[in-house]
């Protein structure tokens, strides 16, 4: 398969006070293949958005590298950052907060094209109309303002804005979490259709495992800034290896009531440790029912346990 992006030991730290470092993303290495959807799941605060923003060049990694089509993305250099910004786009969770309320929908969608000097004014206008239709709105909407639209429609505007500069890679950061359940599947279906038509590569961030399973080819599970498991969607659902992923999956209801009754829920006990000045050892050690001595001393690295199925755990998981 064709690698589009490689994350090579990527960490992102934030300084949050004197001698206090918040490790939002810790030493994540993985490849993203062209045309795939990589789902990223984990509890709130585990670093999903920070990872997404680092991959798409909003943040410069504190350690490690992002490699896009064989070349390191250096977001410290404005020129490189600018070139990369055309290839990578992001769709945000909150379509209310991410659209400028004082701009018309048309100018919101065409702004990126102007910044990147794409097309002349008349052609940009034409593109705005086309994009509105592509996302299921219509050309009359171009002169209206964001507050005149429903949540689902605003997310469609956010998608049109991302598409306007013809990206290859799109980070979808919980794009449906703020929407009514009835609207969620419409947006998911739109994203899937756009991917089929344009060959987009997605990083799809969510905490809802059901949605991630439906849309993702592979799934990455994060815990406290660390990548703890990575595998194809079906594989990870049928052969969940990491104790944290098992706990996360067992909290998803199974549609079959008999199976649901048989399911032994693994309830997570204990608190997520603070990401500030984290202790050595496995990040999940204090909540893991299988915790051994080594888990408190050495941070496990990601190993291939089954074909194309990776987990970071000291247990003998096979
Ligand atoms: N700009 C920032 N400055 C300081 N801390 C941040 C910043 N952004 C995120 N964090 C912290 O980094 C951790 C990961 O956050 P985030 O990536 O938003 O997680 P998620 O998207 O999984 O909920 C959290 O502890 C959060 O408080
Ligand atoms: Mg987030």
């Amino acid at each position: 398969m064709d690698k589009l992006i490689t994350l090579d030991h990527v960490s992102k730290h934030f300084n949050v006070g004197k001698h206090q470092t918040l490790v939002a993303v810790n030493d994540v290495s993985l490849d993203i293949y062209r045309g795939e959807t990589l789902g990223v799941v984990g509890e709130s605060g585990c670093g999903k958005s920070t990872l997404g923003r680092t991959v798409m060049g909003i943040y410069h990694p504190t350690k490690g590298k992002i490699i896009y089509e064989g070349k390191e993305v250096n977001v410290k250099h404005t020129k490189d950052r600018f070139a990369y910004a055309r290839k990578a786009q992001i769709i945000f969770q909150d379509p209310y907060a991410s659209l400028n309320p004082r701009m018309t929908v048309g100018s919101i969608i065409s702004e990126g094209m102007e910044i990147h000097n794409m097309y002349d004014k008349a052609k940009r206008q034409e593109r705005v109309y086309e994009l509105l239709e592509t996302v299921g709105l219509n050309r009359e909407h171009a002169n209206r303002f964001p507050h005149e639209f429903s949540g689902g429609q605003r997310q469609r505007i956010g998608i049109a804005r991302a598409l306007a500069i013809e990206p290859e890679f799109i980070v979808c950061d919980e794009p449906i979490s703020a929407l009514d359940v009835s609207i969620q599947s419409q947006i998911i279906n739109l994203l899937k259709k756009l991917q089929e038509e344009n060959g987009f590569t997605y990083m799809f961030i969510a905490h809802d495992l059901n949605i991630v399973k439906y849309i993702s080819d592979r799934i990455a599970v994060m815990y406290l800034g660390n990548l703890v498991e990575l595998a194809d969607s079906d594989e990870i659902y049928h052969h969940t290896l990491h104790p944290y992923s098992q706990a996360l999956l067992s909290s998803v209801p199974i549609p079959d009531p008999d199976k649901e009754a048989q399911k032994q829920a693994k309830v997570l006990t204990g608190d997520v440790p603070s990401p500030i000045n984290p202790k050595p050892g496995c990040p999940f050690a204090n909540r893991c029912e299988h915790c051994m001595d080594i888990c408190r001393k050495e941070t496990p690295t990601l190993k291939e346990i089954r074909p194309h199925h990776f987990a970071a755990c000291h247990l003998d998981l096979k």
Side-chain angles (χ1 to χ4, degrees):
M1 270 192 289
D2 183 10
K3 277 184 206 169
L4 182 66
I5 306 174
T6 297
L7 281 72
D8 182 12
H9 296 284
V10 169
S11 297
K12 176 66 192 168
H13 300 175
F14 294 108
N15 286 328
V16 288
K18 221 177 173 190
H19 310 299
Q20 302 238 298
T21 303
L22 188 151
V23 180
V25 172
N26 186 38
D27 197 22
V28 171
S29 293
L30 59 85
D31 294 320
I32 302 175
Y33 299 107
R34 193 183 294 276
E36 80 163 336
T37 297
L38 175 71
V40 177
V41 295
E43 287 162 290
S44 172
C46 72
K48 304 180 296 296
S49 294
T50 305
L51 183 72
R53 281 160 196 235
T54 308
V55 175
M56 70 151 294
I58 296 176
Y59 295 142
H60 187 73
T62 310
K63 292 185 204 162
K65 296 188 265 199
I66 311 282
I67 297 155
Y68 193 91
E69 289 181 316
K71 271 178 43 193
E72 184 175 350
V73 178
N74 189 343
V75 296
K76 278 190 171 159
H77 287 101
T78 321
K79 194 164 75 45
D80 294 354
R81 152 121 192 70
F82 190 68
Y84 185 52
R86 240 196 95 169
K87 298 186 173 181
Q89 280 294 295
I90 188 161
I91 299 168
F92 294 98
Q93 169 172 1
D94 188 349
Y96 296 78
S98 65
L99 303 176
N100 185 336
R102 283 175 292 276
M103 281 167 76
T104 63
V105 167
S107 39
I108 287 170
I109 295 171
S110 63
E111 192 181 28
M113 292 189 274
E114 280 170 49
I115 292 170
H116 289 279
N117 266 318
M118 293 167 76
Y119 312 122
D120 61 24
K121 205 169 173 214
K123 172 78 179 162
R124 284 201 292 267
Q125 189 64 46
E126 201 43 50
R127 286 276 296 145
V128 166
Y129 295 147
E130 275 171 29
L131 286 159
L132 282 168
E133 280 161 15
T134 303
V135 300
L137 298 168
N138 60 59
R139 55 170 62 208
E140 284 76 51
H141 290 141
N143 295 322
R144 302 217 204 138
F145 289 88
H147 74 262
E148 298 175 59
F149 295 87
S150 66
Q153 287 175 318
R154 286 188 224 206
Q155 196 52 287
R156 289 174 193 270
I157 298 166
I159 294 169
R161 173 177 60 183
L163 299 183
I165 57 157
E166 296 158 26
E168 296 175 312
F169 170 62
I170 304 179
V171 174
C172 307
D173 190 355
E174 305 210 32
I176 59 167
S177 305
L179 303 178
D180 287 350
V181 175
S182 58
I183 311 294
Q184 290 184 344
S185 56
Q186 292 176 16
I187 298 294
I188 289 289
N189 290 335
L190 173 63
L191 289 169
K192 275 200 137 182
K193 177 174 136 276
L194 292 169
Q195 183 175 43
E196 277 157 27
E197 289 169 359
N198 300 283
F200 292 143
T201 305
Y202 288 148
M203 174 185 267
F204 193 97
I205 298 172
H207 56 254
D208 186 330
L209 284 156
N210 285 317
I211 299 273
V212 172
K213 185 182 180 198
Y214 176 63
I215 195 162
S216 307
D217 299 297
R218 288 189 305 149
I219 292 179
V221 180
M222 286 185 75
Y223 185 80
L224 199 66
N226 294 265
L227 176 59
V228 299
E229 188 159 1
L230 174 69
D232 284 354
S233 287
D234 282 346
E235 165 73 16
I236 210 166
Y237 276 85
H238 292 115
H239 301 280
T240 319
L241 295 177
H242 197 283
Y244 173 65
S245 314
Q246 286 173 355
L248 203 60
L249 280 166
S250 71
S251 64
V252 178
I254 300 174
D256 180 335
D258 293 337
K259 283 200 182 149
E260 176 68 33
Q262 287 165 15
K263 187 180 79 173
Q264 290 206 330
K266 294 195 184 200
V267 181
L268 279 173
T269 52
D271 295 325
V272 182
S274 165
I276 298 171
N277 302 337
K279 291 199 195 82
C282 174
F284 190 56
N286 74 321
R287 297 170 92 186
C288 183
E289 56 182 351
H290 309 289
C291 183
M292 308 174 289
D293 278 351
I294 186 175
C295 306
R296 301 205 184 271
K297 293 180 194 136
E298 272 178 43
T299 308
T301 52
L302 215 59
K303 289 185 288 277
E304 188 167 10
I305 312 279
R306 293 164 50 90
H308 312 294
H309 188 163
F310 301 82
C313 181
H314 289 302
L315 291 169
D316 183 12
L317 292 172
K318 267 177 220 150

